[in-house]
Amino acid sequence: MKKSSHPFKKFFSKVWHTIRKIYLQSVRPFLAKINTLLRHNFIYRERNHQVILFSFIRIRITRRLRHALYGYLFIILWLIGIAFFTLYPLGYSFYLSFHQAYYNLQQGVVTTFVGLNNYLNIFRSQTLVPLYTNYVGKMLVAVPIIIVFSIIIAVLVNMPIKTKGLWRTIFFLPVIISTGPVINELNAQSAITLPNLQGSGIYGYIVNNLPSLLADPLTTVINSMLLILWYAGIPILIFLAGLQKIDPSLYEAASMDGASPWMRFWKITLPSLMPFTGISIIYVVVSMSLFVEPGGILDLTRTHMLVGAPDSAFWFGYGYAAAMAWVYFMLMVLLILGFTRLTREKRVKQL
Amino acid sequence: MKLPLIPTMETQQKWRKVWFGKTLTDGLLYKLIIYILLISFSYIYLYPLLFMLINSLKSVDDLINPGVKWIPTVLMWENYERAFEVLKLPQSLIDSTVYVLKVSVSATLSSALIGYGFARFEFPFKKLFFAIMLATFILPQQVTMVANMLIFRELKIISSEWTMLLPAMTGQGINAAIYILIFYTFYKTIPGILIESAEVDGAGQLRIFRSVVLPLAIPSFVIVFLFSFVWYWNESFITGLYVGDKVTLPLWLQAFRASYETIFPPGTPGAELNEAILLSGNMLTILPLLLLYFFGQKLFTQSIDKTGITGE
């Protein structure tokens, strides 16, 4: 082995040395020249900790200024990105949502102002309004379930048991494999529902006795129970991290005073986990809302954007699609605010 | 040897101690309950995966037969062969891996830079920018996608990889806020003395970043890279919209039924598409991620601490 590697080594070191020689002899002096040229010219000059622009604007370079400049240098990519790919599109889609907009090959996007008509059309729509109410209802039912479930699992995993890593691996697995098409396929095979839950009397009771506004979200939650519990992956880890930050001496003191495990859970564990519910709720709401189910609002938004024929009866242009997305986003923000407000009030009460 | 037929007080107490322990929490019963709960919960979590694995190996007769649930009578490896063929596997896997690698590496590098800018330097509007950066996590891509489509159309990069690469390079990609936050919290833990001493030794800020900070940040790089790889791999909606159909393996899966019919036209005997073949396609799609997860599962599950989102 050694013998055969020897000529290779020789060859590569030879190549490396020639490259290095060329770089040192001709490239580096050239770069240095450019550098000095950039620092000492009519427009920009550096002297005695001062920058001189056009020979008459003098700026003292302090440490603070230099730090600020470097800070901007590091985040400049982000600044460009936020302007072009987030803030401008945000403003533009808000603007579009008040307009009727079509794409025209000759003129680009043609917009005509229609006021609030796009939003009104959404509320008039027979297909969209049930989708929105179903979304909100599903969230209202599912998010508390997920949070409670993930707290229970986190507490269980945090107990002195063996193979902690294994359990953690299992409960985090869905975050890795839950990709849209796979979930849709599982959905089609009805592999995401607990068979016992669907067959039980509760299901029939809900369908028969509640108004459809209430029953629909409940049945969707029951039908996709496993899928909903799958969203608990990251909240479980967040709560686990929170549990590990609780001082064990608190528990010791409590058990000295005769508190049962049950009491300890309610009086110590749950209050200390309260600060972590906010971030978990945000995570759950965001990841659940952004999942695109076939026939859902997000899927419809996409169809409204992509179907190109403006004469089609069901196509209302980019403006309508933007308005749909904005209503969805607003509902999402309202949900997040509502849920986090709820947990915060509880915390105040307990204090 | 004389065994006491009637349990004495002593043995009774002993058994009670074994079952309930001194304080109930260290008894056998308590542990048993915990393990039963954990196993039943993990059954819920693994059920879809097991369902997929078992059903993908079933033959058509087993699928119809209600008596066969968990153990198929014959293992149909043929399903996998067909799914392999329909997904155009070796080629599509390579293509999607290359594409996802490009995007996730650029997302990782850009968020490393941006996180350092936020963590180390003080500049005007920093707090405002940081708040906006965190807020982009809540913002669904769907709100901006109408305008983004038009922008990409103007730039003439629609249905090319650049539609994903450009936002990733500028820290606006999928879940970019989380990656920046991971780096941010990591850089905050580097002691300031280390950087100051490098400054005293005459290193410029870029030099410090390259030779002092980057070598320390390698674990964060690995975590962010793994997460962005997984998330970009799984993101089929935006990718399908901007870049085009059949870029990543999940998108191939989405078109599974259509491409199956072109390869095995309907009417050919014994070639009907059944659930087992569909599910084996699913298994093949998630297999690369499963492998990645089982090799790096510690990095995944311990990373939440490192994001610092639990710190407040």
Side-chain angles (χ1 to χ4, degrees):
Chain A
M1 272 311 278
K2 234 179 182 176
K3 256 186 187 172
S4 67
S5 78
H6 205 70
F8 273 116
K9 228 178 181 176
K10 227 175 181 176
F11 174 71
F12 278 116
S13 72
K14 215 174 181 179
V15 170
W16 173 244
H17 274 290
T18 33
I19 290 174
R20 198 180 144 82
K21 217 171 166 185
I22 291 169
Y23 174 76
L24 284 179
Q25 281 181 350
S26 45
V27 179
R28 207 153 81 162
F30 183 65
L31 286 179
K33 244 175 218 170
I34 288 179
N35 200 359
T36 39
L37 214 67
L38 280 175
R39 280 153 179 261
H40 304 275
N41 55 26
F42 171 65
I43 298 168
Y44 175 94
R45 221 178 310 164
E46 281 178 13
R47 192 192 296 156
N48 300 338
H49 302 289
Q50 272 185 332
V51 167
I52 304 164
L53 296 173
F54 298 109
S55 304
F56 60 89
I57 305 172
R58 283 157 191 268
I59 304 167
R60 260 185 73 81
I61 296 197
T62 53
R63 190 183 149 81
R64 233 175 108 192
L65 184 65
R66 201 184 304 134
H67 260 227
L69 282 177
Y70 272 113
Y72 278 116
L73 182 70
F74 273 104
I75 68 160
I76 192 150
L77 275 177
W78 182 82
L79 284 176
I80 294 169
I82 195 96
F84 276 95
F85 299 119
T86 304
L87 289 183
Y88 169 72
L90 204 64
Y92 190 65
S93 80
F94 192 66
Y95 163 86
L96 275 183
S97 70
F98 295 103
H99 288 73
Q100 200 164 34
Y102 296 109
Y103 192 76
N104 189 315
L105 266 183
Q106 278 85 42
Q107 294 154 287
V109 182
V110 185
T111 55
T112 37
F113 185 70
V114 291
L116 282 171
N117 267 356
N118 281 327
Y119 290 96
L120 289 177
N121 278 337
I122 288 172
F123 289 110
R124 286 183 195 127
S125 162
Q126 291 286 319
T127 48
L128 281 176
V129 173
L131 283 178
Y132 281 113
T133 54
N134 201 2
Y135 160 73
V136 174
K138 186 182 153 192
M139 282 295 177
L140 288 179
V141 180
V143 173
I145 291 179
I146 295 171
I147 296 296
V148 169
F149 189 79
S150 50
I151 289 179
I152 293 172
I153 288 185
V155 169
L156 282 176
V157 174
N158 196 43
M159 281 180 177
I161 47 165
K162 275 169 193 150
T163 59
K164 236 176 223 191
L166 175 74
W167 302 114
R168 223 188 287 187
T169 311
I170 289 172
F171 292 127
F172 196 67
L173 189 67
V175 180
I176 307 297
I177 60 170
S178 58
T179 128
V182 171
I183 287 179
N184 289 339
E185 201 51 58
L186 283 173
N187 203 351
Q189 313 275 336
S190 65
I192 54 167
T193 167
L194 283 174
N196 299 342
L197 206 61
Q198 211 171 14
S200 69
I202 305 169
Y203 192 80
Y205 181 82
I206 289 170
V207 172
N208 293 331
N209 292 320
L210 288 176
S212 68
L213 197 67
L214 282 172
D216 282 349
L218 279 176
T219 47
T220 41
V221 165
I222 290 176
N223 278 336
S224 51
M225 199 62 192
L226 291 187
L227 186 60
I228 281 167
L229 295 184
W230 268 22
Y231 285 108
I234 284 189
I236 288 173
L237 290 189
I238 293 174
F239 285 128
L240 258 177
L243 283 172
Q244 263 138 32
K245 288 200 174 89
I246 301 176
D247 193 355
S249 62
L250 265 179
Y251 287 106
E252 269 171 41
S255 52
M256 289 275 193
D257 291 343
S260 65
W262 185 247
M263 290 268 278
R264 270 179 274 160
F265 173 76
W266 288 102
K267 297 289 175 192
I268 300 174
T269 313
L270 209 57
S272 357
L273 284 184
M274 260 326 178
F276 300 100
T277 45
I279 187 80
S280 313
I281 284 169
I282 291 173
Y283 189 84
V284 170
V285 171
V286 169
S287 57
M288 274 187 83
S289 311
L290 297 196
F291 175 68
V292 184
E293 42 192 337
I297 302 161
L298 294 179
D299 199 33
L300 274 180
T301 317
R302 178 195 152 112
T303 339
H304 275 281
M305 272 176 50
L306 285 185
V307 177
D311 52 302
S312 146
F314 297 104
W315 199 68
F316 302 102
Y318 294 119
Y320 193 61
M324 274 163 73
W326 268 97
V327 172
Y328 196 70
F329 181 45
M330 286 302 154
L331 287 176
M332 205 175 120
V333 170
L334 281 180
L335 279 169
I336 289 176
L337 285 180
F339 275 124
T340 43
R341 170 66 67 81
L342 222 74
T343 56
R344 198 171 294 155
E345 268 174 15
K346 258 185 206 161
R347 200 168 64 182
V348 170
K349 251 182 224 166
Q350 271 158 358
L351 286 172
Chain B
M1 281 288 280
K2 219 180 169 188
L3 282 169
L5 285 175
I6 306 156
T8 57
M9 272 306 266
E10 234 169 72
T11 48
Q12 237 177 359
Q13 260 176 358
K14 210 168 154 192
W15 277 110
R16 181 174 286 174
K17 207 173 167 187
V18 169
W19 279 107
F20 299 107
K22 263 185 197 158
T23 55
L24 192 71
T25 45
D26 53 353
L28 199 64
L29 192 71
Y30 191 73
K31 278 218 169 112
L32 212 66
I33 290 172
I34 290 173
Y35 278 111
I36 288 171
L37 278 177
L38 274 176
I39 288 169
S40 48
F41 282 145
S42 49
Y43 170 72
I44 291 177
Y45 269 71
L46 293 177
Y47 172 76
L49 201 64
L50 288 174
F51 177 90
M52 248 196 289
L53 183 67
I54 300 294
N55 278 23
S56 67
L57 287 170
K58 278 182 183 173
S59 62
V60 186
D61 298 332
D62 285 353
L63 278 175
I64 301 164
N65 189 353
V68 182
K69 181 137 175 69
W70 284 118
I71 304 165
T73 49
V74 273
L75 293 180
M76 288 281 284
W77 293 108
E78 216 177 288
N79 293 334
Y80 276 90
E81 275 167 32
R82 278 198 193 153
F84 205 85
E85 204 174 322
V86 173
L87 289 174
K88 299 236 165 43
L89 241 186
Q91 193 51 42
S92 62
L93 180 69
I94 293 166
D95 286 352
S96 63
T97 313
V98 168
Y99 156 75
V100 177
L101 268 182
K102 270 189 221 163
V103 182
S104 56
V105 165
S106 49
T108 313
L109 291 179
S110 70
S111 45
L113 283 174
I114 295 158
Y116 190 70
F118 277 121
R120 188 51 63 188
F121 301 104
E122 290 297 327
F123 47 87
F125 306 118
K126 180 177 152 177
K127 287 220 170 98
L128 176 74
F129 288 151
F130 198 67
I132 292 175
M133 194 272 290
L134 291 182
T136 53
F137 176 63
I138 306 176
L139 182 74
Q141 296 252 356
Q142 278 76 15
V143 175
T144 56
M145 84 185 165
V146 182
N148 263 337
M149 278 281 274
L150 296 173
I151 289 175
F152 293 144
R153 209 168 255 174
E154 286 297 308
L155 291 174
K156 300 217 162 50
I157 53 170
I158 196 102
S159 66
S160 79
E161 286 172 359
W162 286 101
T163 50
M164 295 302 274
L165 272 171
L166 274 182
M169 278 173 184
T170 52
Q172 306 297 322
I174 297 152
N175 290 336
I178 293 183
Y179 312 144
I180 296 174
L181 203 61
I182 291 177
F183 277 113
Y184 174 82
T185 16
F186 171 74
Y187 293 139
K188 279 280 177 194
T189 63
I190 297 177
I193 288 178
L194 198 66
I195 289 170
E196 270 160 35
S197 62
E199 239 167 53
V200 168
D201 286 346
Q205 293 295 340
L206 296 176
R207 181 71 197 267
I208 291 173
F209 181 67
R210 207 182 58 209
S211 338
V212 179
V213 177
L214 277 192
L216 288 174
I218 285 171
S220 309
F221 268 95
V222 174
I223 286 167
V224 170
F225 169 72
L226 284 178
F227 266 103
S228 60
F229 189 89
V230 167
W231 274 328
Y232 273 107
W233 183 283
N234 283 343
E235 177 58 66
S236 51
F237 181 75
I238 292 292
T239 315
L241 187 66
Y242 290 162
V243 187
D245 308 333
K246 300 186 177 179
V247 182
T248 59
L249 213 48
L251 285 168
W252 277 90
L253 184 68
Q254 214 162 32
F256 195 89
R257 283 165 209 267
S259 34
Y260 187 88
E261 276 171 13
T262 55
I263 293 179
F264 304 101
T268 345
E272 281 89 29
L273 177 61
N274 57 41
E275 287 161 7
I277 298 171
L278 269 170
L279 286 173
S280 44
N282 275 335
M283 279 307 285
L284 286 175
T285 311
I286 60 171
L287 200 63
L289 290 184
L290 278 180
L291 288 177
L292 192 72
Y293 182 54
F294 284 115
F295 284 116
Q297 55 100 355
K298 265 206 174 138
L299 288 169
F300 278 107
T301 51
Q302 289 172 0
S303 56
I304 290 297
D305 290 335
K306 292 190 174 156
T307 56
I309 47 177
T310 60
E312 275 102 47

Short mmCIF file of all heavy atoms in Angstrom, two decimals, chain B residues 232-258:
data_model
loop_
_atom_site.label_atom_id
_atom_site.label_comp_id
_atom_site.label_asym_id
_atom_site.label_seq_id
_atom_site.Cartn_x
_atom_site.Cartn_y
_atom_site.Cartn_z
N TYR B 232 -36.58 20.15 3.86
CA TYR B 232 -36.68 20.43 2.42
C TYR B 232 -37.09 19.18 1.66
O TYR B 232 -37.76 19.25 0.65
CB TYR B 232 -35.35 20.97 1.88
CG TYR B 232 -35.25 22.46 2.02
CD1 TYR B 232 -34.41 23.02 2.96
CD2 TYR B 232 -36.00 23.30 1.22
CE1 TYR B 232 -34.32 24.39 3.11
CE2 TYR B 232 -35.93 24.67 1.37
CZ TYR B 232 -35.09 25.20 2.31
OH TYR B 232 -35.02 26.55 2.47
N TRP B 233 -36.65 18.04 2.14
CA TRP B 233 -37.05 16.78 1.51
C TRP B 233 -38.57 16.60 1.62
O TRP B 233 -39.23 16.18 0.68
CB TRP B 233 -36.32 15.62 2.20
CG TRP B 233 -36.58 14.28 1.61
CD1 TRP B 233 -37.69 13.51 1.78
CD2 TRP B 233 -35.71 13.54 0.76
NE1 TRP B 233 -37.56 12.35 1.09
CE2 TRP B 233 -36.35 12.33 0.45
CE3 TRP B 233 -34.44 13.78 0.24
CZ2 TRP B 233 -35.79 11.36 -0.36
CZ3 TRP B 233 -33.87 12.82 -0.56
CH2 TRP B 233 -34.53 11.63 -0.86
N ASN B 234 -39.10 16.93 2.80
CA ASN B 234 -40.52 16.70 3.03
C ASN B 234 -41.41 17.76 2.41
O ASN B 234 -42.61 17.55 2.29
CB ASN B 234 -40.79 16.65 4.53
CG ASN B 234 -40.37 15.34 5.12
OD1 ASN B 234 -40.18 14.38 4.39
ND2 ASN B 234 -40.22 15.29 6.42
N GLU B 235 -40.86 18.92 2.12
CA GLU B 235 -41.70 20.00 1.61
C GLU B 235 -42.07 19.72 0.16
O GLU B 235 -41.28 19.94 -0.74
CB GLU B 235 -40.95 21.33 1.72
CG GLU B 235 -41.70 22.49 1.16
CD GLU B 235 -43.05 22.71 1.81
OE1 GLU B 235 -43.08 23.03 2.99
OE2 GLU B 235 -44.07 22.54 1.12
N SER B 236 -43.29 19.22 -0.05
CA SER B 236 -43.65 18.88 -1.42
C SER B 236 -44.54 19.93 -2.04
O SER B 236 -44.57 20.07 -3.26
CB SER B 236 -44.35 17.53 -1.45
OG SER B 236 -45.40 17.53 -0.52
N PHE B 237 -45.23 20.72 -1.21
CA PHE B 237 -46.18 21.67 -1.77
C PHE B 237 -45.47 22.81 -2.49
O PHE B 237 -45.69 23.06 -3.68
CB PHE B 237 -47.05 22.22 -0.64
CG PHE B 237 -48.09 23.20 -1.08
CD1 PHE B 237 -49.22 22.78 -1.73
CD2 PHE B 237 -47.92 24.55 -0.83
CE1 PHE B 237 -50.18 23.68 -2.14
CE2 PHE B 237 -48.87 25.45 -1.22
CZ PHE B 237 -50.00 25.02 -1.88
N ILE B 238 -44.59 23.49 -1.76
CA ILE B 238 -43.89 24.64 -2.32
C ILE B 238 -42.96 24.20 -3.45
O ILE B 238 -42.88 24.83 -4.51
CB ILE B 238 -43.09 25.35 -1.20
CG1 ILE B 238 -44.03 25.99 -0.20
CG2 ILE B 238 -42.16 26.39 -1.78
CD1 ILE B 238 -44.81 27.15 -0.74
N THR B 239 -42.27 23.08 -3.22
CA THR B 239 -41.35 22.59 -4.25
C THR B 239 -42.11 22.28 -5.53
O THR B 239 -41.68 22.63 -6.63
CB THR B 239 -40.62 21.33 -3.75
OG1 THR B 239 -40.19 21.56 -2.43
CG2 THR B 239 -39.45 21.02 -4.62
N GLY B 240 -43.26 21.60 -5.37
CA GLY B 240 -44.04 21.26 -6.55
C GLY B 240 -44.54 22.49 -7.28
O GLY B 240 -44.63 22.50 -8.50
N LEU B 241 -44.84 23.53 -6.51
CA LEU B 241 -45.37 24.75 -7.12
C LEU B 241 -44.29 25.53 -7.84
O LEU B 241 -44.46 25.96 -8.99
CB LEU B 241 -45.98 25.61 -6.01
CG LEU B 241 -46.74 26.86 -6.43
CD1 LEU B 241 -47.97 26.46 -7.20
CD2 LEU B 241 -47.11 27.66 -5.21
N TYR B 242 -43.15 25.73 -7.18
CA TYR B 242 -42.12 26.61 -7.73
C TYR B 242 -41.21 25.86 -8.71
O TYR B 242 -40.91 26.35 -9.78
CB TYR B 242 -41.25 27.20 -6.62
CG TYR B 242 -41.94 28.21 -5.75
CD1 TYR B 242 -41.42 28.54 -4.50
CD2 TYR B 242 -43.11 28.84 -6.15
CE1 TYR B 242 -42.04 29.47 -3.69
CE2 TYR B 242 -43.73 29.77 -5.35
CZ TYR B 242 -43.20 30.08 -4.12
OH TYR B 242 -43.80 30.98 -3.31
N VAL B 243 -40.73 24.70 -8.27
CA VAL B 243 -39.66 24.06 -9.04
C VAL B 243 -40.24 23.16 -10.12
O VAL B 243 -39.72 23.10 -11.23
CB VAL B 243 -38.73 23.26 -8.10
CG1 VAL B 243 -37.55 22.73 -8.87
CG2 VAL B 243 -38.26 24.12 -6.97
N GLY B 244 -41.31 22.47 -9.81
CA GLY B 244 -41.92 21.61 -10.82
C GLY B 244 -42.21 20.24 -10.27
O GLY B 244 -41.77 19.89 -9.17
N ASP B 245 -42.99 19.47 -11.01
CA ASP B 245 -43.30 18.12 -10.57
C ASP B 245 -42.05 17.26 -10.63
O ASP B 245 -41.12 17.54 -11.36
CB ASP B 245 -44.36 17.49 -11.49
CG ASP B 245 -45.57 18.39 -11.63
OD1 ASP B 245 -45.82 19.16 -10.69
OD2 ASP B 245 -46.23 18.33 -12.67
N LYS B 246 -42.07 16.19 -9.86
CA LYS B 246 -41.04 15.17 -9.95
C LYS B 246 -39.62 15.71 -9.75
O LYS B 246 -38.72 15.44 -10.53
CB LYS B 246 -41.12 14.44 -11.28
CG LYS B 246 -42.48 13.77 -11.45
CD LYS B 246 -42.53 12.93 -12.67
CE LYS B 246 -43.86 12.21 -12.77
NZ LYS B 246 -43.98 11.40 -13.93
N VAL B 247 -39.46 16.55 -8.75
CA VAL B 247 -38.11 17.01 -8.41
C VAL B 247 -37.58 16.15 -7.27
O VAL B 247 -36.48 15.62 -7.35
CB VAL B 247 -38.11 18.49 -7.98
CG1 VAL B 247 -36.71 18.95 -7.69
CG2 VAL B 247 -38.75 19.33 -9.05
N THR B 248 -38.39 16.04 -6.22
CA THR B 248 -37.96 15.21 -5.10
C THR B 248 -38.75 13.91 -5.11
O THR B 248 -39.76 13.79 -5.79
CB THR B 248 -38.19 15.94 -3.76
OG1 THR B 248 -39.57 16.24 -3.66
CG2 THR B 248 -37.39 17.21 -3.68
N LEU B 249 -38.27 12.98 -4.31
CA LEU B 249 -38.92 11.66 -4.26
C LEU B 249 -40.38 11.74 -3.81
O LEU B 249 -41.24 11.08 -4.40
CB LEU B 249 -38.10 10.75 -3.35
CG LEU B 249 -38.08 9.27 -3.72
CD1 LEU B 249 -37.77 9.07 -5.18
CD2 LEU B 249 -37.06 8.55 -2.87
N PRO B 250 -40.71 12.55 -2.78
CA PRO B 250 -42.13 12.67 -2.42
C PRO B 250 -43.00 13.15 -3.57
O PRO B 250 -44.16 12.76 -3.67
CB PRO B 250 -42.11 13.69 -1.28
CG PRO B 250 -40.82 13.51 -0.65
CD PRO B 250 -39.87 13.20 -1.76
N LEU B 251 -42.44 13.99 -4.44
CA LEU B 251 -43.25 14.44 -5.58
C LEU B 251 -43.44 13.33 -6.59
O LEU B 251 -44.48 13.24 -7.24
CB LEU B 251 -42.58 15.65 -6.24
CG LEU B 251 -42.72 16.94 -5.46
CD1 LEU B 251 -41.82 18.01 -6.02
CD2 LEU B 251 -44.16 17.40 -5.50
N TRP B 252 -42.43 12.48 -6.71
CA TRP B 252 -42.61 11.29 -7.55
C TRP B 252 -43.72 10.42 -6.99
O TRP B 252 -44.52 9.86 -7.73
CB TRP B 252 -41.32 10.46 -7.61
CG TRP B 252 -40.35 10.94 -8.62
CD1 TRP B 252 -39.37 11.85 -8.42
CD2 TRP B 252 -40.27 10.54 -9.98
NE1 TRP B 252 -38.69 12.05 -9.57
CE2 TRP B 252 -39.21 11.25 -10.55
CE3 TRP B 252 -40.99 9.65 -10.77
CZ2 TRP B 252 -38.85 11.11 -11.87
CZ3 TRP B 252 -40.64 9.50 -12.09
CH2 TRP B 252 -39.57 10.23 -12.64
N LEU B 253 -43.75 10.35 -5.66
CA LEU B 253 -44.78 9.54 -5.02
C LEU B 253 -46.16 10.12 -5.30
O LEU B 253 -47.12 9.39 -5.51
CB LEU B 253 -44.53 9.49 -3.51
CG LEU B 253 -45.46 8.61 -2.71
CD1 LEU B 253 -45.23 7.17 -3.04
CD2 LEU B 253 -45.27 8.85 -1.23
N GLN B 254 -46.24 11.45 -5.31
CA GLN B 254 -47.52 12.10 -5.56
C GLN B 254 -48.08 11.71 -6.93
O GLN B 254 -49.28 11.57 -7.10
CB GLN B 254 -47.34 13.61 -5.48
CG GLN B 254 -48.52 14.32 -4.94
CD GLN B 254 -48.17 15.71 -4.48
OE1 GLN B 254 -47.29 16.36 -5.04
NE2 GLN B 254 -48.85 16.19 -3.46
N ALA B 255 -47.17 11.52 -7.86
CA ALA B 255 -47.61 11.17 -9.21
C ALA B 255 -47.59 9.66 -9.44
O ALA B 255 -47.54 9.21 -10.58
CB ALA B 255 -46.71 11.87 -10.21
N PHE B 256 -47.59 8.92 -8.33
CA PHE B 256 -47.39 7.47 -8.44
C PHE B 256 -48.44 6.81 -9.32
O PHE B 256 -48.12 6.05 -10.24
CB PHE B 256 -47.44 6.84 -7.04
CG PHE B 256 -46.90 5.45 -6.98
CD1 PHE B 256 -45.57 5.23 -6.73
CD2 PHE B 256 -47.74 4.37 -7.16
CE1 PHE B 256 -45.06 3.95 -6.66
CE2 PHE B 256 -47.24 3.08 -7.10
CZ PHE B 256 -45.90 2.88 -6.85
N ARG B 257 -49.73 7.13 -9.07
CA ARG B 257 -50.80 6.46 -9.80
C ARG B 257 -50.67 6.68 -11.30
O ARG B 257 -50.80 5.75 -12.10
CB ARG B 257 -52.15 6.96 -9.33
CG ARG B 257 -52.58 6.39 -8.01
CD ARG B 257 -53.72 7.20 -7.43
NE ARG B 257 -53.70 7.14 -5.98
CZ ARG B 257 -54.37 6.25 -5.27
NH1 ARG B 257 -55.11 5.35 -5.85
NH2 ARG B 257 -54.30 6.26 -3.96
N ALA B 258 -50.41 7.95 -11.66
CA ALA B 258 -50.33 8.27 -13.09
C ALA B 258 -49.16 7.55 -13.74
O ALA B 258 -49.30 6.95 -14.82
CB ALA B 258 -50.20 9.78 -13.26
#
